[in-house]
Amino acid sequence: MDASQDSKIRAERRRQHQAALENPESDVGLCGWFLMILSILLVIVTLPLSIWMCIKIVKEYERAIIFRLGRILKGGAKGPGLFFILPCTDSFINVDMRTITFDIPPQEVLTKDSVTVSVDGVVYYRVQNATLAVANITNADAATRLLAQTTLRNVLGTKNLSEILSDREEIAHSMQSTLDDATDDWGIKVERVEIKDTKLPLQLQRAMAAEAEASREARAKVIAAEGEMNASRALKEASMVIAESPSGLQLRYLQTLNTIAAEKNSTIIFPLPIDMIQAFMKH
């Protein structure tokens, strides 16, 4: 059975479970009907004071799960706005549907290449199904926080240090997918997971800095050597061109004198013709 078929089966089971929760059997027994009728008579007798006990209000971002005689009322979550309950037999729980964010505490993780790193993150989630969040788990928020910590450790334990430092988006996406699948039965939708910081041991930081510095120095030496080689080739070509034209050598000589004279110094230069120097060199 492949992953797609398995996910379809789990989705179908979740749908059936949700339908069973939102549409329970209407038979509450003789005792249940007696208590409900007694509660209705109590409301009628104590009108209009009892109306304030029956009317409840939930905000736009909340949903109310009503329990009648301990069982979820048919129809699922109520709200937003007004809804009615029967005193003595009904109770309700408000569920916040807004997106909730929490920080994952720094986790000491041993990577695949046996390096200890400290990694923390942040998770964004919201309650997608209020009925499942109340009926299937005691505390959905605490469970999601603990699951996020263990998922972070499990995912990072399969990665090398270089992958943790470079593939943060892929790790965050993998965590988001894993958390979303695990919390789906709780009515939780994990919207986003982000890796905040990765802390390395101090000795490892020094070793990596020394390695990077040595690598930069090696590249600098290679670049300097290539520059020297290119400069020597250019000088060789220039000398061959000047050797073919004596007048070019004279112009280069005068240009050099002009460059030296541009500097503010007290040196006195007496230019001599190149031909005269060549005559002395022959003797």
Side-chain angles (χ1 to χ4, degrees):
M1 182 181 297
D2 56 7
S4 61
Q5 293 178 348
D6 186 52
S7 61
K8 290 180 180 179
I9 293 175
R10 287 186 298 172
E12 181 64 22
R13 288 177 180 174
R14 285 193 297 267
R15 187 187 63 79
Q16 293 176 357
H17 181 58
Q18 179 182 348
L21 289 175
E22 294 183 352
N23 299 284
E25 295 293 334
S26 58
D27 187 13
V28 294
L30 181 61
C31 184
W33 281 109
F34 175 75
L35 292 176
M36 289 173 58
I37 294 173
L38 185 63
S39 180
I40 294 173
L41 291 177
L42 180 64
V43 171
I44 295 174
V45 170
T46 58
L47 281 175
L49 297 178
S50 61
I51 195 66
W52 303 109
M53 299 178 60
C54 297
I55 296 178
K56 302 297 179 181
I57 301 175
V58 291
K59 299 181 178 63
E60 181 68 29
Y61 54 83
E62 291 180 337
R63 298 294 183 271
I65 306 299
I66 302 176
F67 292 89
R68 177 163 295 170
L69 298 176
R71 306 180 68 174
I72 295 178
L73 194 63
K74 184 177 181 180
K78 306 295 182 182
L82 293 172
F83 65 94
F84 295 88
I85 64 172
L86 294 176
C88 302
T89 60
D90 291 0
S91 62
F92 68 96
I93 298 176
N94 283 340
V95 180
D96 196 330
M97 306 295 288
R98 293 176 293 182
T99 298
I100 301 172
T101 177
F102 64 87
D103 291 327
I104 302 177
Q107 303 293 312
E108 295 287 340
V109 181
L110 184 64
T111 63
K112 191 176 180 179
D113 49 355
S114 302
V115 178
T116 303
V117 295
S118 178
V119 184
D120 58 355
V122 61
V123 176
Y124 301 85
Y125 78 93
R126 61 181 174 85
V127 177
Q128 182 173 275
N129 189 303
T131 303
L132 296 180
V134 172
N136 284 3
I137 191 166
T138 305
N139 191 331
D141 180 73
T144 304
R145 292 173 184 266
L146 294 175
L147 185 62
Q149 297 178 25
T150 56
T151 302
L152 177 62
R153 298 172 68 93
N154 293 338
V155 171
L156 295 182
T158 62
K159 303 290 184 180
N160 296 324
L161 178 61
S162 58
E163 294 174 346
I164 294 176
L165 297 177
S166 60
D167 298 337
R168 300 177 62 156
E169 293 185 1
E170 181 183 351
I171 294 174
H173 180 71
S174 176
M175 283 189 58
Q176 188 266 337
S177 178
T178 304
L179 283 173
D180 195 23
D181 290 340
T183 58
D184 203 9
D185 291 335
W186 306 339
I188 301 295
K189 172 65 177 178
V190 179
E191 297 178 335
R192 190 178 184 88
V193 177
E194 292 291 342
I195 303 298
K196 291 174 60 178
D197 191 18
T198 302
K199 296 181 181 179
L200 303 177
L202 185 59
Q203 294 181 351
L204 181 59
Q205 293 182 19
R206 293 175 179 174
M208 294 178 65
E211 180 183 1
E213 184 178 0
S215 178
R216 287 194 297 269
E217 290 180 355
R219 288 197 300 268
K221 291 180 179 179
V222 171
I223 294 173
E226 291 178 352
E228 291 290 340
M229 182 176 62
N230 295 333
S232 62
R233 290 176 179 175
L235 290 174
K236 179 182 178 182
E237 294 176 358
S239 63
M240 294 175 61
V241 172
I242 293 175
E244 295 176 356
S245 176
S247 60
L249 181 61
Q250 181 67 33
L251 291 174
R252 179 59 182 164
Y253 176 66
L254 295 176
Q255 183 181 4
T256 303
L257 293 179
N258 185 27
T259 303
I260 297 174
E263 300 178 0
K264 295 180 180 180
N265 50 41
S266 59
T267 304
I268 300 175
I269 301 174
F270 296 95
L272 295 176
I274 297 299
D275 297 338
M276 185 181 298
I277 297 176
Q278 289 179 352
F280 283 110
M281 291 178 63
K282 291 180 181 179
H283 292 293

